[in-house]
Amino acid sequence: MAPDGAPLDEVSFSDFLDDYFAECDEHLMGVRRHLLSLETSVGGDAVSRAVLDDLFRHFHSLKGISGMVEVRPAEELAHRLEDYLRLLRAGNAPLRREGLDALFDGTQTLEQVIAARRAGVALPQIDAIADRIGRVVAAGAASGTDLPQRAAADGARSHASRRWQITFTPSQDLVARGVRVDTIRQRLASAGEIVAAAPRVTPGGTIAFDFVLAGEVDESTAAAWRQDGIRVEPMVDAPAPPAMSDAIEPLPIDADGTSSTGAVAPSHVVRVDLTRLDDLMRNVGDLVISRARLGETLARVEQRLAAADWRAIQDNAVAIDRQLRTLREGIMRVRLVPVGEIFRRMPFVVRDLARETGKRVRLELQGQATEIDKFLIERMMDPVLHLVRNAVSHGIETADERIAAGKRPEGTIVLSAATAGDIVRIEIADDGRGVDAAAVVARAHAAGLSVPAGPPDAAALLGLICSPGFSTRDQSDRASGRGVGMSVVKSAVGELSGAMSMETEPGTGTRFILDLPVTLAITDALITRVGSETFAVPQNAVREVMEIATAALLQVERNEMIPYRGGALPVVRLSRLFGIAEGTRDRLHLFVVGAGASALGIAVDRIVGQREVVVRTISDPLVRVEGISGATDLGDGHVVLILDPAVLTRTVRERPDRVDAARGAGR
């Protein structure tokens, strides 16, 4: 409620908040990128003016938009950070380590404030970091000589401009035309300096935004603004409000006429709520199912139609298939975002943990332009964060330990991403000490976990490390937690129909590999039959399809294998894995999943075709089955289960007893 008791316009303010959070994300991304480039300028005189200008603009914008939505802690903190950057831009103080640390920590707190406002929880306190930044500013100003004179000149320049009272009241019609408060603010900024901005509740209960603009506004410009719901009035004999900041210089323009910041022009970007894209994808999924049902109907009436009529129907059906696939791929491209959204947060994490642990760590980012579904980006943020933290905590040694081992004192973590078909591979590699297999096994025995006989390979070690509650630390810390991290990573990757593997070598380093589908909504699948049951297998998880004679299967102890590319390929029959009664067949179809030592052949009675399927996840824990990622409708009204080859492979390797029990039950 407003102070006078009038109800707020929930729709208008909610829409504005969505824009606020989206714009904050953009500015914070720019801040993170530029702060990292300042690391090499600490203690020197050659601080990039372009970087300082861009940082100043980002914090200035964050301050302004935070003030509009009355997120006062964010507004205040951005103002403090802006003060320090103003000092650096004026050349009155060199960039010191304590100053750069204050910028990093202030930015991190600013992110936390905005995230808390987005989540609707209590905002974190900023007093400590604000005071710290104030001390840095005071120390820098004390060493300068011309800051007061410069500030006075800036103030005189600001007061020389004519001032205007600007009021904008959003409406649904204006929003439909693309006229929102952020576009209005951009217009005002292009005409002068916004020296004050604040939201206001009107007597009618709607939200209005009041601005004070210092600049020159001619009548033609004011008339154009009024057509978009902007009231423009000159301020006569009004006292000037406190300036929000220095006047901001224009962005530098490259020779080709584009901004040097690399930002995309607002006219080329449309912000769309992810739930709307989800709804659109569900509609496309319904179309895919309807098209499949139409195909089933056409197959039943084919014999009743003349050849010419049937050919015309088939041509139309093929055209619809092609157009539907094009539509699906187009929507998928809209949902894809660069994996850099995850990666760009990690340098802050590594820097913070390295400072806390006293280690020297360098982070390399590769493949940031690799695209993945926005839904997966959000779900993978925490798992990747866990792995990066573990790399710093468990993987990278201290500088003294590295020197004693003949390594460089500075450890390296490489975070990379690449696309192979419909799979995105994310790797987190370090050149640290590697996984101590003996220590892992000892901890596993102490925790009462089942440990395989003999020296464990990388897959077995990963299974132990990812066991719930497993930890090699006696005490928790910020970097490593209490062992739940790796369990969370494994669960998150599995829920996204992905696969996780590990490569490690003592004294050399460790690499975690996450293979994820580009998207989960609609996929191409192989339709298989096992006994009387039908299953769908995501095609992107299958490396090869083979047909084999049952007599070619070799019995090795209790397992079956076939010769494969100069080696042996373990084979598991899906009928035995799920306890389905087996028939007597001379030949089986085999799809090969996994690679290298993790390759496995899964045998089915036959593969009957390839279809585009809509993935419906099974969320009810009471009906979820290990190895089943979801269900789909092939168009005939019957539900078909979708297999998860990665989970099946892991189940076979980690729990061979389950296959033996199923074999006995299926006989």
Side-chain angles (χ1 to χ4, degrees), residues 8-24 65 68-69 117-118 168-183 185 199 206-207 209 271-276:
L8 292 173
D9 185 339
E10 296 289 347
V11 175
S12 297
F13 195 64
S14 175
D15 289 344
F16 179 66
L17 275 179
D18 290 340
D19 286 343
Y20 166 70
F21 294 131
E23 192 162 351
C24 284
I65 61 179
M68 291 180 193
V69 296
R117 179 63 181 86
R118 191 197 307 249
F168 172 65
T169 304
S171 69
Q172 294 296 338
D173 291 339
L174 291 174
V175 170
R177 289 166 44 198
V179 181
R180 309 174 76 98
V181 69
D182 55 343
T183 59
R185 189 165 48 79
T206 60
I207 296 293
F209 297 92
R271 292 173 182 156
V272 181
D273 192 290
L274 186 60
T275 56
R276 298 186 181 182

Side-chain angles (χ1 to χ4, degrees), residues 200-341:
R200 172 172 53 86
V201 181
T202 68
T206 60
I207 296 293
F209 297 92
D210 294 325
F211 301 88
V212 174
L213 177 69
E216 297 301 326
V217 180
D218 56 38
E219 182 55 36
S220 62
T221 300
W225 287 358
R226 291 186 185 103
Q227 293 179 1
D228 287 334
I230 307 172
R231 191 173 74 240
V232 184
E233 298 176 352
M235 297 180 67
V236 181
D237 297 326
M244 293 178 70
S245 70
D246 282 0
I248 299 180
E249 302 170 6
L251 286 173
I253 303 298
D254 294 335
D256 61 356
T258 60
S259 168
S260 64
T261 62
V264 181
S267 59
H268 297 160
V269 176
V270 178
R271 292 173 182 156
V272 181
D273 192 290
L274 186 60
T275 56
R276 298 186 181 182
L277 292 179
D278 289 338
D279 292 340
L280 193 56
M281 182 58 76
R282 278 191 289 270
N283 291 336
V284 173
D286 292 338
L287 283 175
V288 171
I289 294 174
S290 297
R291 171 62 188 92
R293 290 174 178 168
L294 177 60
E296 293 286 334
T297 302
L298 292 176
R300 290 195 297 268
V301 302
E302 177 181 358
Q303 303 301 324
R304 308 176 195 172
L305 299 175
D309 293 337
W310 176 248
R311 281 195 299 272
I313 292 175
Q314 283 293 89
D315 290 343
N316 288 330
V318 170
I320 292 174
D321 281 342
R322 184 170 57 250
Q323 293 162 2
L324 189 55
R325 179 174 288 272
T326 301
L327 176 62
R328 189 256 288 190
E329 292 174 350
I331 296 176
M332 284 309 312
R333 285 193 297 271
V334 173
R335 292 177 59 94
L336 299 182
V337 295
V339 75
E341 286 197 12

